[in-house]
Amino acid sequence: MLIGEVARRSGVSARMLRHYESLGLISPTGRTGTGYREYSSEDIRRIFHIESLRSLGLSLRDVRRAFDDPDFAPAELVNDLIRRTQERVAAATELLTRLQRIGAAEPADWADVLQTVALLQQLGSESAGTRLRAALSSIQEVPAPAEALAEAALSETDPNVVGALRWALAQSGDGGLALLAQGLDSSVAEVRKRAVQTIAEIPDGAATALLRNALTNADIVVRRYAALALGARGVTDAVPTLLEMIVDAANDIDAADALSALATDPAWADQIASGLVHRLDRATESDTRRRLTQALADIPGITAARALAELSHDEDRAVALTATYILELRDAR
């Protein structure tokens, strides 16, 4: 078969076939009487093998080694190809993300594009001061895509920068919520914690819906932060988690404050008081019962008042003294 026919059937150009020959990758079996290259079926099979290996990312040098070196170990080369491919995919993904961030900023001209690129670079700086200035300028000077702010907030460890990023996100609307929602299901505990704390700073209804869903998150830390935020927003779904936080001494003072805020609604005051009393009846440790008694202090209504009156005679002296003191304060008010 002549070179033109081989090129047509294999999809490899005549020029590339000659290049393969110059590298010693393939050598036509014979020549015609007029000197044209003539390829056998075995030659064509080798051409297809070359193309198959090249499709995996092998260089022509590696292809030649694969054919000619009897000690060639394919596993090592394949592993190297996997690593290099992963690096290319990561680089391409990073580029795609950056382009999407720039597109989300809706630049009007190239000056806007360059400003956004500079801001994104500053948000990824190794300097906490540079990241802080970028977070602050993202609202005041150069509008930043909310997704970029959310991504930065999920990875940020400096408390000052975190605060600035959360403030910026709160001003930018709900654009970053989808990325923060993904953060709630991260395999990294710190990322989950940052995600729920950041969502808690965003005031709109979509953020509240995410926090409601977070009450059933597998991570107890996420559930607790969500409950505190929801309590401050007047969402009574948080009550069971807030009650358990007092029992477990997990941010119990903040949990008690959230419960007292929710109890300003008369429809919930007695229910919250009943929940505290129910857990008091089940608790055996003195410290736990004292915390639950303290939590009754700012719960209005007859249920809380009766519970405190009974607790003022509790056999646990610490609980009795706490209840008595709370009753005196309530009477003074």
Side-chain angles (χ1 to χ4, degrees):
M1 190 180 298
L2 299 183
I3 191 170
E5 181 67 10
V6 172
R8 187 179 65 80
R9 293 195 179 191
S10 67
V12 182
S13 69
R15 181 178 179 181
M16 185 58 73
L17 290 171
R18 293 189 187 97
H19 181 54
Y20 289 170
E21 184 178 346
S22 71
L23 295 176
L25 279 169
I26 189 169
S27 179
T29 300
R31 297 268 180 172
T32 66
T34 53
Y36 289 106
R37 294 171 177 81
E38 197 167 44
Y39 296 84
S40 67
S41 57
E42 186 61 33
D43 295 332
I44 295 172
R45 186 178 298 109
R46 185 176 174 98
I47 291 169
F48 279 117
H49 287 168
I50 292 169
E51 292 304 298
S52 294
L53 292 176
R54 285 191 66 203
S55 72
L56 297 177
L58 270 70
S59 66
L60 291 176
R61 176 173 166 272
D62 288 331
V63 171
R64 182 170 182 177
R65 284 178 56 214
F67 283 141
D68 300 339
D69 185 353
D71 296 325
F72 179 75
E76 182 179 344
L77 180 58
V78 169
N79 288 334
D80 185 56
L81 288 170
I82 291 171
R83 179 186 58 77
R84 282 187 277 169
T85 302
Q86 288 172 333
E87 289 173 353
R88 287 197 299 272
V89 169
T93 301
E94 183 178 352
L95 174 59
L96 175 61
T97 299
R98 177 162 293 196
L99 289 170
Q100 289 172 332
R101 301 287 185 263
I102 294 170
E106 299 182 350
D109 51 36
W110 284 111
D112 286 351
V113 171
L114 293 174
Q115 279 188 319
T116 304
V117 170
L119 178 64
L120 294 176
Q121 290 174 334
Q122 291 164 6
L123 286 173
S125 171
E126 292 184 0
S127 165
T130 300
R131 298 195 303 275
L132 177 61
R133 288 191 294 275
L136 294 174
S137 69
S138 67
I139 293 298
Q140 298 170 346
E141 300 171 17
V142 184
E147 293 86 350
L149 295 173
E151 186 175 48
L154 290 177
S155 60
E156 185 57 63
T157 56
D158 185 282
N160 293 322
V161 183
V162 167
L165 287 167
R166 289 176 184 163
W167 170 80
L169 272 168
Q171 310 305 309
S172 65
D174 61 0
L177 281 177
L179 195 58
L180 294 174
Q182 293 176 20
L184 291 174
D185 294 322
S186 170
S187 60
V188 181
E190 278 302 312
V191 173
R192 296 194 297 269
K193 179 179 175 182
R194 292 186 198 116
V196 70
Q197 289 176 320
T198 303
I199 294 169
E201 297 292 330
I202 299 174
D204 64 23
T208 301
L210 279 180
L211 291 169
R212 283 179 186 268
N213 291 337
L215 288 174
T216 58
N217 193 283
D219 187 337
I220 192 171
V221 173
V222 170
R223 297 199 300 271
R224 286 169 174 170
Y225 276 110
L228 289 173
L230 288 169
R233 298 179 189 214
V235 179
T236 54
D237 293 6
V239 168
T241 303
L242 293 171
L243 291 170
E244 293 308 318
M245 288 173 68
I246 295 171
V247 172
D248 297 336
N251 285 7
D252 53 290
I253 295 175
D254 291 335
D257 287 342
L259 286 173
S260 64
L262 290 169
T264 57
D265 180 350
W268 273 90
D270 283 343
Q271 292 187 51
I272 291 170
S274 296
L276 289 167
V277 170
H278 176 65
R279 283 159 179 78
L280 267 163
D281 292 340
R282 292 164 51 192
T284 56
E285 294 184 3
S286 177
D287 285 346
T288 302
R289 300 186 75 247
R290 180 175 49 80
R291 286 194 302 274
L292 289 164
T293 301
Q294 289 172 334
L296 285 165
D298 293 318
I299 308 299
I302 192 168
T303 301
R306 285 175 177 172
L308 287 167
E310 291 180 12
L311 289 166
S312 66
H313 302 289
D314 196 88
E315 61 183 19
D316 185 324
R317 182 167 174 75
V319 171
L321 288 173
T322 299
T324 300
Y325 177 69
I326 292 171
L327 284 171
E328 290 174 355
L329 290 178
R330 286 167 72 103
D331 288 343
R333 291 202 295 264

